[in-house]
Amino acid sequence: MKSYIEACRIIKDEIQLLETGTEEVTLLNSLNRVISEDIFSDINLPSFDNSAMDGIVINFKEGISKWKIDSEISAGKFAQTYIGEDNAALIMTGAKIPEGGNTVIPVEDISVENDTAILKSGAKYKFGQNIRKAGQDLKKNELIAGKFITLKPRHISLLASCGIPKVRVLKKYNFGIITTGDELVDIGSKCSGDKIYASNLYTLIALIEELNMDHTNFGICNDNKNDLRDVIHTSLHSNIDFLITSGGVSVGKFDFVMEVLKELGAEIIFWKVNIKPGKPLLFAKINIKGKKKLIFGLPGNPVSSFVNFHLFIKNILTESYFHSSRRTITAELVNDLKKNDLKRHFIRGIVDQNGNSGKYFVKEIENQSSSNMMGLSVSNALITIEEDRINLKTGDEVECIMI
Ligand code: AMP
Ligand code: MG
């Protein structure tokens, strides 16, 4: 049995060895994608001197308070003109500054009569005011988005301002999903007697979508070894990078996942991690036609498979694919927590922030059974209790993984 830390390290090492291809996507398809190379601007921003206000553009000379307006320049409609000391042009925000112009007086500070602008009494102006200089925001050849940034709307805004139509990004991983169990029925079908809905299928798909990755749903497989072998074989020979199975990795009579994986030539890297919930996690790899595929056999208990996905897939991809840090918060317990074994526990809880102090507090949800979906749905965190800590007291500090 691996420790939590060892299991994370092994999985991270294997994921880092995966070949992650790149592809070019349009800017509109780049949201939440990870760019695979530095992006530089090939223009200045702004690319020309322009007015920051609606007003008049003048050629600054101390003491002047009256100008003849002899032209008009709006954004996108430049008018060739020369601004001397006594004339001015009406100018709108974003319009290009004409030759000789170097200062913009806002419209609020002048009155205009018969094409003459007069500075209002008490209004002042300074040389160079209200002009956005070419290149003041960024210079040509400047780095505008560094390799491995996950593109958010704010990045897309800058890239569009620089006129960049396409970006090269890391390819999404494709996750194959198989859920196993004779008791499982898909949602939308009749579920009676000893059957249950195959909720893990949807949990896993949602978790994968949340990571902005692709998935292929291989559906529900019953606990028949031949059927399981067929669907695992099909999935591994399809265009997937990861296979996630749910159920059938414990020690029950019909838990065939490990056996079938071995028969198909997979290498079992480890089975079982010293954690609660989610102990029976199985991690394996296989090489299919020169391409490595990683396999996560998750236990069927809905909470266990959810926790396993968070710890060993989401958290690790956050670091190795998204080059980002996992979201954890240190919070103070508002209840005692029972723990008297040497496993690492991940307890569902609700983290709240105190409005006045800004401090975080966390409360354990009552029923920690690994089949309790209601409890999971109201939780927003997994409270981590490390192996060597036992029975925690109210007021103790704990690390919470936000979910
Ligand atoms: P297993 O890991 O196959 O022994 O399953 C452990 C428990 O999880 C059993 O109570 C199963 O009925 C339940 N279970 C297995 N697969 C699913 C699933 N896809 N959705 C919901 N519960 C499941
Ligand atoms: Mg089962």
Side-chain angles (χ1 to χ4, degrees), residues 178 218-219 221 226-236 243:
I178 301 170
F218 290 93
C221 183
N226 291 331
D227 291 346
L228 189 63
R229 191 188 302 105
D230 284 350
V231 67
I232 291 185
H233 180 271
T234 305
S235 67
L236 289 172
L243 173 63

Side-chain angles (χ1 to χ4, degrees), residues 23-34:
E23 62 184 341
E24 207 169 55
V25 294
T26 64
L27 199 58
L28 272 183
N29 285 319
S30 71
L31 183 64
N32 291 325
R33 300 295 298 269
V34 180

Side-chain angles (χ1 to χ4, degrees), residues 76-248:
K77 285 209 174 118
F78 186 62
Q80 204 72 45
T81 180
Y82 179 79
I83 309 291
E85 286 171 359
D86 305 323
N87 70 321
L90 263 189
I91 195 158
M92 318 308 147
T93 306
K96 185 174 166 178
I97 302 295
E99 209 185 324
N102 55 27
T103 303
V104 170
I105 303 178
V107 83
E108 294 83 351
D109 288 352
I110 53 168
S111 52
V112 181
E113 273 168 40
N114 300 330
D115 288 341
T116 300
I118 300 165
L119 192 68
K120 285 187 181 166
S121 78
K124 292 193 170 58
Y125 61 93
K126 283 191 309 210
F127 175 82
Q129 71 177 25
N130 300 322
I131 303 243
R132 302 189 283 220
K133 301 292 282 177
Q136 76 172 37
D137 297 345
L138 73 93
K139 300 265 180 304
K140 187 174 172 177
N141 297 327
E142 214 173 291
L143 181 68
I144 48 176
K147 186 175 177 177
F148 298 141
I149 278 180
T150 299
L151 293 177
K152 297 293 168 191
R154 62 198 164 88
H155 302 115
I156 290 174
S157 167
L158 178 62
L159 296 173
S161 301
C162 293
I164 290 172
K166 286 180 179 172
V167 288
R168 185 158 282 282
V169 296
L170 297 184
K171 277 200 171 150
K172 293 183 180 188
Y173 291 131
N174 187 15
F175 288 81
I177 306 168
I178 301 170
T179 188
T180 73
D182 284 338
E183 72 279 34
L184 302 179
V185 170
D186 203 355
I187 57 175
S189 304
K190 194 168 178 310
C191 183
S192 56
D194 61 352
K195 307 294 179 195
I196 60 168
Y197 288 119
S199 64
N200 288 352
L201 203 50
Y202 295 89
T203 317
L204 291 168
I205 291 172
L207 285 163
I208 291 163
E209 298 247 311
E210 194 181 43
L211 280 177
N212 198 26
M213 297 286 178
D214 290 331
H215 73 271
T216 308
N217 179 1
F218 290 93
I220 299 168
C221 183
N222 56 28
D223 289 318
N224 173 296
K225 202 170 154 194
N226 291 331
D227 291 346
L228 189 63
R229 191 188 302 105
D230 284 350
V231 67
I232 291 185
H233 180 271
T234 305
S235 67
L236 289 172
H237 282 79
S238 75
N239 177 32
I240 60 165
D241 303 286
F242 292 89
L243 173 63
I244 301 184
T245 63
S246 118

Side-chain angles (χ1 to χ4, degrees), residues 290-302:
K291 186 172 166 179
K292 186 172 90 166
K293 315 211 168 189
L294 298 178
I295 302 158
F296 291 90
L298 309 186
N301 267 314

